Amino acid sequence: MKNGFLVIIIILQKYSAKEEIIMVSINDVAKKARVSISTVSRVMNKNANVSKEKEAAVLAAIDELDYIPNGLARGLVTKNTNSIGILIADISNMYYSSLVKNIEYTLNKKGYYTIIGNTEWNPKREKDYLRYLIQKQVDGLILASTSLADQFINKFCQKRIPLIVLDREIASQQIDKIRINDYDGAYQATKHLISCNYDYFIHLKGPNNAATAVDRCQAFQDCLKQNKIAATNYKILSGEFIEDKARKLIANFLDDFQLSGRRLGIFAANDATAFGILKELKNRGLKIPAQVGVVGFDDVSFAAYTDPPLTTVSRPIKKIAEITASLLVERINKTESEEISKSNIILPVELVIRKSTIKL
């Protein structure tokens, strides 16, 4: 989406003037498979009341004829489009790309396809995408780390589209929420730095409009206070979940900070910011982890391969994705008379200690 407009690029195969494009209908598939039209429909809708033999014949006919069903017409009959909208804050962030990959994989196994919107933490883009997805009549929505106000999301729920919100708490009993214990993860990370005998502490905080960033920052401060670390021995640098900006922030801090025998412990808002910090520390020739220790948050796949490997808080990405996809499909398939209580799921995290921190 650029300047408020969604740009869709479709590449069409070029046909010569002599070639004729033949539109295949469901009738053609039924004739080819030697079954009724209703049987073809049941196979496409993944209805279990079809024999294995007929299902195989229909699928073979669809493949041979290259049949593409009319999604609009099918949606009018079934009231489903078999599409799910997913809004994420930053597709370049390894956590979000991994999360979406796992959600898409699970949804696809259940017969659903995804439309992904990259919002870059911009509330206007989020609203634009939501309006677009509603127009496309998606069957359900997943909001991952959006910066939209609770009031807007609560109002949106009145449209009665199945919705799951990830990575934030919302004051509502009408919304399914799945998140990790950000506070506990950040507390563990900070306590680990203290136990490693670092004596000055830095937290590179994420954006203020991200609930995850707020929780992690609060845990950082609480842990230091509860362990009697004086306010003069720590600093919070406000930033974003972006590698390059984190590198610049820590560079500006180090320009004015006199290390001189002190050990600096840094808790990064996420792994992406930790990567930026590690680059800047190595560029300055500082010894990691002897002089400076770094802890990230997410445990993306690359975290184990940095130099040195990154100590970080691991969140169960695959489990989050599986629960999200399964719960959303359950909501989509419920009948109007069914009342299913909303879920507020909080998953535990784990501190993974690698070589970017050490106790001396």
Side-chain angles (χ1 to χ4, degrees):
M1 185 177 288
K2 187 175 183 182
N3 298 326
F5 296 95
L6 184 75
V7 179
I8 301 177
I9 301 175
I10 302 175
I11 302 175
L12 297 176
Q13 180 181 358
K14 290 183 179 179
Y15 290 89
S16 68
K18 294 182 180 179
E19 288 179 312
E20 181 182 1
I21 302 175
I22 301 174
M23 299 299 294
V24 178
S25 71
I26 192 171
N27 292 333
D28 298 320
V29 175
K31 288 178 182 178
K32 184 72 175 177
R34 296 183 178 180
V35 297
S36 66
I37 293 174
S38 60
T39 297
V40 176
S41 179
R42 284 198 295 272
V43 170
M44 291 193 303
N45 290 319
K46 300 184 183 297
N47 191 309
N49 297 321
V50 180
S51 69
K52 294 292 184 182
E53 293 77 13
K54 288 184 178 180
E55 180 183 19
V58 170
L59 293 175
I62 289 173
D63 185 57
E64 184 176 341
L65 296 173
D66 197 22
Y67 172 60
I68 301 174
N70 185 322
L72 179 59
R74 185 180 173 192
L76 290 172
V77 175
T78 65
K79 297 184 179 179
N80 289 322
T81 60
N82 288 90
S83 60
I84 303 294
I86 307 177
L87 294 193
I88 58 172
D90 182 6
I91 194 65
S92 66
N93 184 304
M94 291 183 189
Y95 164 68
Y96 288 116
S97 57
S98 180
L99 177 67
V100 167
K101 176 183 176 181
N102 282 279
I103 290 176
E104 191 275 337
Y105 176 77
T106 305
L107 284 172
N108 191 252
K109 287 197 300 183
K110 297 176 182 293
Y112 290 87
Y113 297 89
T114 55
I115 302 173
I116 300 166
N118 178 43
T119 67
E120 297 184 354
W121 296 104
N122 185 323
K124 183 181 183 304
R125 286 176 64 119
E126 291 171 1
K127 290 178 181 179
D128 289 342
Y129 264 120
L130 281 175
R131 293 188 183 102
Y132 172 78
L133 292 169
I134 292 171
Q135 289 173 1
K136 289 298 179 184
Q137 297 182 324
V138 293
D139 296 333
L141 285 164
I142 298 169
L143 308 185
S145 290
T146 62
S147 54
L148 293 171
D150 287 8
Q151 182 180 4
F152 180 87
I153 295 177
N154 281 317
K155 184 178 180 181
F156 177 79
C157 282
Q158 296 173 9
K159 298 183 182 295
R160 303 192 67 80
I161 298 174
L163 168 70
I164 293 183
V165 174
L166 302 181
D167 294 341
R168 65 181 285 182
E169 176 56 52
I170 292 181
S172 173
Q173 301 300 316
Q174 305 303 314
I175 300 174
D176 288 305
K177 294 159 282 187
I178 303 171
R179 59 193 175 103
I180 58 164
N181 195 330
D182 285 284
Y183 184 94
D184 179 62
Y187 197 98
Q188 288 185 54
T190 309
K191 191 172 182 179
H192 172 67
L193 288 170
I194 295 171
S195 71
C196 287
N197 295 325
Y198 294 102
D199 50 29
Y200 193 92
F201 304 91
I202 294 291
H203 175 47
L204 262 74
K205 182 177 178 291
N208 291 326
N209 59 354
T212 53
V214 174
D215 287 348
R216 294 171 197 176
C217 184
Q218 187 61 55
F220 171 79
Q221 296 177 83
D222 290 349
C223 184
L224 292 176
K225 290 176 183 177
Q226 290 167 17
N227 284 274
K228 297 182 170 38
I229 304 297
T232 53
N233 286 332
Y234 71 87
K235 188 176 183 66
I236 297 170
L237 305 178
S238 294
E240 299 181 44
F241 290 136
I242 300 173
E243 181 176 329
D244 288 343
K245 292 188 177 181
R247 184 174 184 174
K248 291 175 183 177
L249 273 175
I250 200 65
N252 291 336
F253 169 80
L254 291 171
D255 285 343
D256 299 327
F257 184 74
Q258 297 297 321
L259 199 56
S260 59
R262 304 190 74 175
R263 298 187 71 221
L264 181 63
I266 303 176
F267 170 42
N270 65 350
D271 284 352
T273 54
F275 298 155
I277 292 167
L278 288 174
K279 286 180 181 178
E280 183 60 30
L281 295 176
K282 290 181 72 65
N283 186 53
R284 290 172 179 258
L286 294 172
K287 296 178 181 178
I288 311 166
Q291 288 180 288
V292 185
V294 181
V295 180
F297 203 114
D298 286 337
D299 196 24
V300 299
S301 57
F302 188 66
Y305 302 101
T306 55
D307 182 23
L310 181 66
T311 294
T312 186
V313 177
S314 178
R315 44 170 147 188
I317 296 176
K318 287 186 177 180
K319 189 172 183 179
I320 294 170
E322 289 171 359
I323 293 174
T324 300
S326 297
L327 183 58
L328 186 59
V329 171
E330 179 185 353
R331 295 292 186 243
I332 292 169
N333 291 332
K334 80 176 184 66
T335 64
E336 293 185 5
S337 60
E338 283 183 292
E339 283 295 332
I340 305 175
S341 59
K342 299 300 181 181
S343 298
N344 185 16
I345 300 171
I346 303 175
L347 298 172
V349 294
E350 177 185 5
L351 180 67
V352 178
I353 300 173
R354 297 192 180 104
K355 295 183 179 180
S356 65
T357 54
I358 192 171
K359 183 174 182 178
L360 294 178

